Amino acid sequence: TANAQEAELNAALDGIKSKAPNVAELAKAAYKKNKKDAAALIKIGQAFYAQKDTANARLFANYANEAGKPKYQFAPAYLLLGDIESAYGTDGGKAAGYYNQAITFDPKNPEGYKKWAMVYRKISPSQAAKKLQEMKAQCPNEDVDAITAHIYMLAGDEKQAYENYAKANIGKLDKLGLNEFVRASYFTGHFQDALRAAEAGIKLEPRNPTFNRLAMFSNYELKNYEAAKAYIHKYFFETDSAKVSEYDHFYTALIYQALEDKANMYAHYDKALELVNDQSMIKRWAILKSVSDSYLKEKEFENAIKYYEQYLACKPNLNFDDEEGMANIYSKYGDADPAKKKEMTNKATEIFGTLAEKYPIQVVYATFMRAGLNNKLDDNMKNNLAKADYQKVVDLLANKADRTKGEDTML
């Protein structure tokens, strides 16, 4: 009898998998032979579910549950019914209800808790996390922290995901877990943990682009510049399916900048500017600002001005600090080159004059800065070039009752 039951069951399972034309007859025959065997019936239901035949999957889940009565309710049947509702239904609460019944009838099975949490995360990630803590009491061998972190990652809460992954056993995390751990760590600013997760991931998959990329970025953030440089070649040339972006080139430029490798730095800045678009993670204006700052640091003032002009032209919602930046470049240019001193200092002075009118709240500071620039062009103040601006600062501040410390200093 046992052999006959197994033969009928295997014939049905094979027929479902191969989509045999007589699959209905095979399933019916298997049911007749196994109508009291809940475990056999749930296998048939699961096979139908794998083929996306939800009607028969639900039918055999119910058959399996009936076979378990009256002694017990059959938890795997509720798991399958929950899976059907979760994947194809419109009521997440109904799926959660089935999973809850599975937990009730088999509290030592972690699958019910996990599946309930996965469904409920869309309603309340915190409630899903609470359910997983119930699992911890019943299933102590399960890594609840990792599962909870995964739930929060799916919910888009990287902070909570990081906090839970940080408590998990990193040695037991699979590729997906390490991928989420490294991203959650990096994007919440926990670069040491990001590096730890990335290095663990590289041991599993040496050519994985995400692990190599974030190992490179994290080393840079930790000021491990030589270590970051070692990952540049690995990421660009020794990873599988890496889609190199403008952000990658930008970060690589920063690494070479820290190592004072100007040729490679500017080559990657150029590549970043070539690839950047409106959908990019980093904005064109941010790259231009960084390039300008690099040239300014090297006292290549013409290029610093060129890229800063492009920065101002494309950055939306310019503020006082943005526009003051150009005045600072002109001022430093004038300080560094005696032949250009008058021309550049006057340009800086003009900018502060414009800013005093454009940003009334900054009129004192802009006027004070313009006075200082005029003093640079005045031989021992013989011509009183700064007097008018300094007088304006006095007029604005002398009788002001609530002066700040900065205003006191200017006065």
Side-chain angles (χ1 to χ4, degrees), residues 4 37 309 315 373:
D37 186 344
E309 285 175 341
K315 183 180 185 289
L373 289 165

Side-chain angles (χ1 to χ4, degrees), residues 263-380:
N264 277 313
M265 174 186 71
Y266 287 122
H268 281 278
Y269 274 139
D270 287 343
K271 193 65 179 175
L273 288 170
E274 178 186 322
L275 293 176
V276 72
N277 57 56
D278 292 341
Q279 283 72 48
S280 298
M281 184 184 297
I282 190 166
K283 302 303 180 185
R284 174 176 292 278
W285 53 262
I287 302 172
L288 291 166
K289 173 71 164 54
S290 192
V291 175
S292 177
D293 289 347
S294 300
Y295 279 121
L296 183 60
K297 184 180 178 182
E298 300 298 327
K299 296 185 178 180
E300 296 185 32
F301 297 106
E302 292 295 337
N303 278 325
I305 292 168
K306 169 187 168 184
Y307 282 95
Y308 206 87
E309 285 175 341
Q310 294 179 46
Y311 161 72
L312 293 175
C314 73
K315 183 180 185 289
N317 304 317
L318 290 175
N319 58 36
F320 181 90
D321 291 342
D322 295 328
E323 299 192 58
E324 182 190 12
M326 182 60 87
N328 291 335
I329 295 174
Y330 285 137
S331 178
K332 289 178 181 180
Y333 194 175
D335 291 343
D337 187 348
K340 292 278 190 177
K341 184 174 182 177
K342 184 175 182 179
E343 177 191 355
M344 295 301 149
T345 305
N346 281 333
K347 285 187 175 184
T349 303
E350 289 173 12
I351 290 175
F352 278 113
T354 302
L355 293 179
E357 296 179 6
K358 186 174 180 180
Y359 300 93
I361 196 171
Q362 295 281 13
V363 63
V364 173
Y365 173 78
T367 305
F368 183 80
M369 293 300 292
R370 186 170 63 179
L373 289 165
N374 277 321
N375 256 341
K376 289 183 179 183
L377 299 177
D378 199 345
D379 182 15
N380 291 321

Side-chain angles (χ1 to χ4, degrees), residues 68 116 313:
W116 189 98

